Amino acid sequence: MRSPEIVLNNLASKSNNPLYHYERLYRNLYNKEFYMLAYQNLLSKHAYRKIPIDRKRDFEERIDRVIRKLKDQTYRLQPVSKQNGVLEDQLVLEIIRMLLVAIYEGTFSDHSHSFRSKRSCHTALTEVQSTFTNVKWFILGGIQGCFEQMDQHLLIHLLRRKVKDEKFIQLIYQCLKAGYLYEWKYHQTYSGTPLGGVLSSILANIYFHQLDTFVSELKHSYETMDVHKNPNDKQLFYTRYADDYLIGVIGSKKDAETVKDKLIHFCHEKLKLSLKDVQIVHAKKAVHFLGYQLKCTREEGQTRKIKLYVPKEKWIGKLRSLNVLKVDSNNQWKAIHRTDLVNLEDTRILQVYNQEIKGIYRYYQLANNVTVLRHFYYIMQQSLAKTLACKYNTSVRKIMGKYRRDGLFTVTDSSIKGRSSILYHGGFKRRKKVITDSMVDVFPVRNLNPQQKK
C-alpha cells in the first residue's frame, strides 16, 4: 500500500484538470496507514484521547474489521450522536474528507473562506477591506436554511462530475442518509466543523462552489457588458463565508438590483435554496458582515475604503449571553455573578473569564475601534470578583483586596505550590495581523440578540 501522503499529493496534482476523472478511490479505505493518519488528525482536533499502548492491538483489530466490511460492502455508519460518535465511523469519514479535500481544494474560489486551510473570517474580512474600494452599493444576506436544506441528490450529482467510483459515491450517500449531515448547525462559531460530522465542511464547499463560480461569471459579464465604457464605471466584488456573502457593486442602483435578482434566481433554480433577508444598501450606510460593522470612508482624496468596527450590540450581547450583565429599567449597567461557576476551583473560574476575554479580543482585533472592548473587560472583571465573592460569601471589596497583587488580579493554584494565574491585562490594541487558523472564529457573535437576556 502506498503512503497516504503520496496518494493525496497525486490526487491534488490532478485537481485543476477539468477533464480528469477520479477512479478507484474506494480502495484507499483498505489502507491501514490511512486510518493511522486519520486518527492523528482527530487527535489534533482534540476529538479523541490518545489510545494507551496496551489497547493498540484492540484498535488495530477494530480497523481490520472495518476494512473487511468495507471490502464486502457490509459496513454501515451509525447515526451521529451528541458525542464524538463511533471511532471507526469517524476514521472512515476522516479518510473520505482527506480524499475529497485533495480532489477539490485546488478548484475552490479565492473568494471562499469557510472551513478551509489558512482561511477564516479574518481572511474574508480583510479581502473585503482590501478589494471593495469605491463601492457604491452592498448586496448582503444569507442562504435560508442552507445546511439543513441542501439538496442531497444535487450534491451527489456534483460529486459524480469528477468522481467515477460508484462504491465511493455510495459510501458518501450512506453518510447523508445515516444522519451524519442531518442537522448542519453552527456551534456558536464562525469556523470549524459544524455539528453533523467530519464531512460537513468539505461537502458544503463543494455545493457552494457552484455559487462562487456563478458570481465569478456574473462579475465578468457585468464588467464587460459595454466595451465603450470606462472600466472603473462598473465593477463587482464578492466574498463568501459559509452561508454569509457580501457583494460590492460599482454602478447604479438598477445595476445592483439586476445583480440581486440574478443571484436569487440562480440560488433558487440551480442550488434549490432560497436567499434570506437580501438587502441592497448604499455604501454611505454601515453594513454588518461576519459580526463586524463595515463602513465606507473616504481616504486619499476621492478614494473610498472599507473600515472595520466592533458593533456595540455585539459585545453587549456577548455580556448578556454569558449572564454577567444586568441592565435595569433606568438603563443602568450592573455586573452580576455567575452561579454556574461558583462550584469550580478559583483557577478554573479565572481561566473561563480569560478565555472569553481573549476570545472576543482575538476575533475583533482587526477593528479600528477595538479599544471599546475595555468596557467589556470592566464588566467581566467585576463579574469575576462577584462570582468569587458569592463563592466565599464575602464582599467584592474583600475579594479585590485578597486577589490583587502588584495591581493585577491574581489567583494562586491550591494544587500546585507557587503556581498562580493572572487575569488578562494586555489591553486591546488594534492588530493588523490576520489570524488564519480556525480557532479565531470560536467566539459566539452570531445571532446574538442584545435583548434576549437581561
Side-chain angles (χ1 to χ4, degrees):
M1 290 287 186
R2 292 184 299 172
S3 74
E5 291 81 4
I6 292 176
V7 172
L8 296 173
N9 287 336
N10 285 342
L11 294 176
S13 68
K14 302 176 179 66
S15 63
N16 285 315
N17 182 350
L19 300 178
Y20 187 82
H21 293 143
Y22 292 87
E23 301 175 348
R24 304 180 71 185
L25 295 174
Y26 190 84
R27 65 175 182 172
N28 291 294
L29 292 158
Y30 308 154
N31 187 341
K32 292 180 69 172
E33 290 188 38
F34 256 110
Y35 290 87
M36 298 310 299
L37 178 58
Y39 181 63
Q40 292 302 317
N41 289 347
L42 293 178
L43 281 180
S44 68
K45 298 172 184 175
H46 307 289
Y48 286 92
R49 294 183 179 180
K50 190 172 183 179
I51 294 176
I53 295 177
D54 59 352
R55 293 182 56 199
K56 282 189 174 180
R57 171 173 286 187
D58 174 62
F59 175 73
E60 291 179 355
E61 290 176 352
R62 290 165 67 182
I63 298 308
D64 287 337
R65 287 196 294 271
V66 170
I67 293 174
R68 286 196 297 270
K69 289 182 178 181
L70 285 165
K71 285 182 176 180
D72 61 24
Q73 294 184 264
T74 60
Y75 188 80
R76 295 294 178 266
L77 291 156
Q78 300 300 311
V80 70
S81 66
K82 292 182 180 180
Q83 290 75 35
N84 291 325
V86 180
L87 175 59
E88 289 91 335
D89 287 354
Q90 294 295 300
L91 293 173
V92 170
L93 291 168
E94 175 61 17
I95 295 172
I96 297 173
R97 187 199 67 82
M98 287 189 288
L99 294 170
L100 290 176
V101 168
I103 293 169
Y104 286 98
E105 177 62 31
T107 69
F108 291 149
S109 167
D110 288 339
H111 306 297
S112 167
H113 295 266
S114 51
F115 319 126
R116 298 177 63 190
S117 175
K118 297 183 179 180
R119 288 174 179 263
S120 67
C121 283
H122 273 195
T123 61
L125 289 160
T126 52
E127 180 186 28
V128 172
Q129 191 175 37
S130 62
T131 63
F132 281 49
T133 302
N134 289 328
V135 297
K136 293 183 178 180
W137 303 95
F138 291 110
I139 302 173
L140 68 157
I143 300 173
Q144 186 71 43
C146 70
F147 291 108
E148 298 95 330
Q149 297 181 27
M150 281 200 299
D151 189 301
Q152 295 182 358
H153 296 288
L154 175 56
L155 177 58
I156 293 298
H157 172 72
L158 295 174
L159 290 169
R160 283 188 172 128
R161 288 181 180 178
K162 292 182 75 73
V163 176
K164 302 300 180 182
D165 183 337
E166 198 57 29
K167 287 200 293 186
F168 188 73
I169 292 290
Q170 288 302 316
L171 186 58
I172 295 175
Y173 191 65
Q174 185 191 144
C175 297
L176 297 170
K177 292 301 181 183
Y180 267 92
L181 307 175
Y182 175 66
E183 288 187 309
W184 285 7
K185 296 179 181 178
Y186 288 97
H187 193 46
Q188 289 193 316
T189 161
Y190 275 119
S191 71
T193 305
L195 290 182
V198 176
L199 285 183
S200 320
S201 55
I202 181 61
L203 292 181
N205 278 333
I206 293 170
Y207 198 90
F208 290 110
H209 178 62
Q210 312 310 304
L211 175 61
D212 301 336
T213 302
F214 168 75
V215 176
S216 177
E217 294 169 352
L218 182 61
K219 170 182 170 67
H220 177 75
S221 63
Y222 176 74
E223 295 179 347
T224 59
M225 65 174 63
D226 185 353
V227 295
H228 301 295
K229 72 176 180 66
N230 184 326
N232 295 320
D233 288 345
K234 292 185 183 294
Q235 293 185 57
L236 191 148
F237 308 92
Y238 168 74
T239 298
R240 181 182 63 82
Y241 187 93
D243 61 340
D244 288 318
Y245 61 87
L246 184 68
I247 295 175
V249 177
I250 297 179
S252 66
K253 186 175 183 179
K254 184 177 180 181
D255 291 332
E257 289 172 342
T258 300
V259 171
K260 171 188 169 181
D261 291 343
K262 289 182 178 180
L263 182 71
I264 292 173
H265 182 267
F266 174 82
C267 287
H268 179 72
E269 294 296 321
K270 301 299 183 181
L271 295 183
K272 312 300 182 184
L273 295 171
S274 298
L275 298 184
K276 61 181 179 180
D277 302 325
V278 186
Q279 304 174 57
I280 296 177
V281 181
H282 196 279
K284 289 182 179 179
K285 298 181 180 180
V287 298
H288 289 77
F289 183 59
L290 301 181
Y292 274 73
Q293 185 182 69
L294 280 58
K295 293 182 180 179
C296 196
T297 60
R298 290 192 181 277
E299 291 184 359
E300 302 173 4
Q302 297 301 310
T303 303
R304 294 189 301 275
K305 292 281 191 178
I306 299 294
K307 287 190 176 181
L308 307 174
Y309 295 90
V310 184
K312 184 177 181 180
E313 66 269 19
K314 290 299 183 183
W315 60 265
I316 294 176
K318 176 62 175 174
L319 290 171
R320 285 178 166 167
S321 74
L322 294 174
N323 272 335
V324 300
L325 174 66
K326 182 178 181 180
V327 182
D328 63 24
S329 57
N330 296 320
N331 203 33
Q332 296 296 310
W333 292 19
K334 180 182 178 181
I336 56 178
H337 72 277
R338 297 166 73 171
T339 55
D340 59 320
L341 300 182
V342 293
N343 293 324
L344 301 178
E345 294 289 334
D346 291 1
T347 50
R348 177 56 184 153
I349 295 174
L350 180 66
Q351 182 183 29
V352 170
Y353 278 88
N354 270 342
Q355 288 174 340
E356 292 161 349
I357 292 167
K358 292 177 182 179
I360 190 170
Y361 175 42
R362 183 174 163 86
Y363 187 74
Y364 281 118
Q365 68 181 37
L366 302 176
N368 289 76
N369 68 333
V370 68
T371 55
V372 300
L373 292 182
R374 65 183 184 275
H375 303 301
F376 177 90
Y377 178 81
Y378 174 78
I379 296 295
M380 292 290 282
Q381 183 185 50
Q382 292 297 306
S383 174
L384 170 60
K386 288 188 175 185
T387 300
L388 290 171
C390 178
K391 177 179 179 177
Y392 293 108
N393 194 25
T394 186
S395 68
V396 171
R397 182 178 62 82
K398 289 183 178 180
I399 288 294
M400 296 302 289
K402 176 182 178 181
Y403 291 94
R404 182 75 69 178
R405 294 184 189 175
D406 299 323
L408 303 177
F409 198 102
T410 306
V411 174
T412 300
D413 192 332
S414 59
S415 62
I416 303 178
K417 186 176 181 180
R419 181 174 177 177
S420 60
S421 301
I422 300 173
L423 182 66
Y424 175 77
H425 59 283
F428 299 97
K429 183 179 179 181
R430 184 189 178 206
R431 298 176 181 173
K432 295 183 179 181
K433 182 180 179 181
V434 176
I435 301 174
T436 58
D437 68 80
S438 62
M439 292 306 292
V440 68
D441 309 317
V442 183
F443 164 64
V445 295
R446 186 187 198 99
N447 295 332
L448 283 180
N449 181 355
Q451 303 300 324
Q452 90 185 89
K453 292 187 179 181
K454 298 186 179 181

